[in-house]
Amino acid sequence: MVDDTWSGALHRLWQAASRAEEVAALADDVYAPLLATPGVHLVVGTRWDEQHVLRYMRGLSAGSDTPVIVATTRSMPGAAVREPGGEPVVTRSAVEGLDDSVWPEAEFLRQAPGVSVVACTFRLDQRGWAALALAVDGTADLSVVENRLTQAVDVIVACHTGILQRGREARRASDDALLAEASLQMDSSLDVEDTLRRVARIAVPAVADGALVHLLRGEGPEFVAATHVAVQQQRALEEAGRHDPWLAALLARRGEDEDTVFLSGAALEGSPFAEAVGANGGAAVGADGANGTAADARPAGDGPHPTVVSISTLRARGRVVGSITFVYQRPEARLPDSAFLRSLATRAALAIDNALLYELRRTAVLSLQEHLLPSQLPESVQWDLSASYAVGDPMLDVGGDFYDAVPRPDGSIALLIGDVCGRGAEAAALTGLARHTLRTLLEEGTDPGTALSRLNRALRQERATRFLTAVVATLTPRPDGTALLSTCSAGHPPPLVLRGDGTVSEVLSGGLLLGVLDDVSYESHEELIAPDDTLVLFTDGLTESREASGAFFESVLPARLSALRGSGAAHIAESLAQQAETFRDSGQDDIALLVARWTGVPPGTGLLPHDPRIEQAALR
């Protein structure tokens, strides 16, 4: 015969279990139908942790709507005899024979009119177990009572398992989202200092209360960043990261250990984190927690949670780049697991390593770029020379722009500027070949057209796969203080002349690109320039800088240059380069400028007055 009353109650219990967010929410749905069982007078539930500490007790009597609930932290080592193994354990006991050191429920059970106790102990998870005890009288059918009790326990265990599973899935989803966001944030910068700050900040407070990042240098771990949810503690973390010998020694000992290590309690003695450790002590644990857990240091009361520290090695591309230390002051349940910390450390290490490699490459590229350009420009009372070079490629390949200024045997000066197609090692090789070939020829007095033709021949003989453009301008002094400007171009943007009165003119030039055809000749164009006139040579990175509207800097260059009348060569070169970089929304070519202001007079005459208001008006 089917017991419809119990079947309906059990069905409702399963429904409640599927919705419950914590096991305690099932109490009413469990206790009431058990109390409705004939002969049952009292139900008492208890909750224990793995150290046999009673955490919770709830009792409800038949005919009462108000349960007695006791929240406690009573340590009862004697209860170890009741701890279940893998499967629930059902026992029958006489009320009079209950040992209070084993049965904290005894004080409730003795008050009931029952004569015996039917109890079931069952494990919830690795961190604890629970028990349900029923006080029954002689009229109870014990087999029915045991059957209903085990069915209720099955629902409770299934409910707890489901809650844990949903919690793990939610945490896994949260961890995955955090890792994705961490990667996005850390990978969004190639600046080393900024990346390190992002690594420290990304996990606080989502993962830990504080974080320290150390890089591995030749002399050992070097502190680089720290953060904490509390400003005062952040300052303490920074101080510890920089100067604390305990932490420095620990990080040095860990070396290339890949496992995340957790430290708490006694393992933190002598450390800068020891002040917050609870009195119960603790131990260092490995990634698998085999030697203990962070809970070893948890005090029995509800005071502040003791400090737990984890250290993860930052390893990228087969080498250790540093370590990240997390500081926790939160419940054990909210501590991250080792797998998550390893994944976070791996992503952080890659971001840091990318930034370090980028910085190393940037340094190498800038150093190589400097060696492809003249270390200094020649000085004379008759000209004011200056140059500017701005790297435009964020990938930091070596550019192909070059310039030089060469005094010649006849007292003239040759100015040259060029641009090799493309970037990288091959472009750098051609840049060096072109600049040094032209410089050598021009120093010997070779005329610019012949020098360009011989360079073209050399490129063809070398079977260069890239072409280049160049322009050579010579300034030859004349007795009246003017200078003869002779310009020879090989497909390069024409230079500009800024006259003393502010007018700007383009120097006529032409000629075929270098390295395309054999036996090419180049013609020169001549004109006069007067004192205070300025010759501006540049590469197409300047003119092809494009703003969001689509306009090129070339369209505003004459006006911008005119506004700089009365300025020295250095100011003109730097100002035009900065203006082009500010102007452009697209275009990443390098910008090279070579500026020569012709004085034609002895020193002491000075520059024409420079009016900054004119320059500012041109920028509007």
Side-chain angles (χ1 to χ4, degrees), residues 199-213 225-230 233-234 237-238 273 307-311 324-330 336 341 344:
V199 169
R201 288 198 305 261
I202 194 67
V204 176
V207 175
D209 299 280
L212 301 98
V213 181
T227 189
H228 198 282
V229 292
Q233 293 194 48
Q234 176 168 331
L237 272 185
E238 292 173 351
F273 317 107
T307 297
V308 179
V309 174
S310 70
I311 303 173
I324 183 166
T325 302
F326 289 128
V327 181
Y328 314 90
Q329 289 174 306
R330 56 184 62 188
L341 290 179
L344 182 61

Side-chain angles (χ1 to χ4, degrees), residues 339-358:
F340 172 80
L341 290 179
R342 281 196 299 270
S343 183
L344 182 61
T346 298
R347 295 167 190 243
L350 284 172
I352 293 172
D353 196 46
N354 286 339
L356 290 171
L357 292 175
Y358 182 86

Side-chain angles (χ1 to χ4, degrees), residues 120-133:
C120 181
T121 56
F122 53 96
R123 181 160 294 281
L124 291 172
D125 51 47
Q126 295 301 314
R127 296 199 300 265
W129 52 282
L132 272 178

Side-chain angles (χ1 to χ4, degrees), residues 50 70 77 171 174 178 184 231 236 307 311 328 345 378 411 428 478 505-506 509 516 534 537 543-544 559 572 590:
E50 71 276 19
V70 179
R171 183 160 184 170
S174 177
L178 178 61
L184 182 64
V231 175
T307 297
I311 303 173
Y328 314 90
R478 290 163 48 93
S505 60
E506 188 177 274
S509 60
V516 178
T534 301
L537 297 86
T543 53
E544 293 180 3
I572 293 175
D590 292 359

Side-chain angles (χ1 to χ4, degrees), residues 61 65-66 72 76 94 147 254 259 267 286 297 380 456 488:
S61 301
D65 294 329
T66 305
T72 181
M76 300 185 67
N147 184 57
R254 283 191 50 73
D259 286 337
S380 171
N456 181 73
C488 192

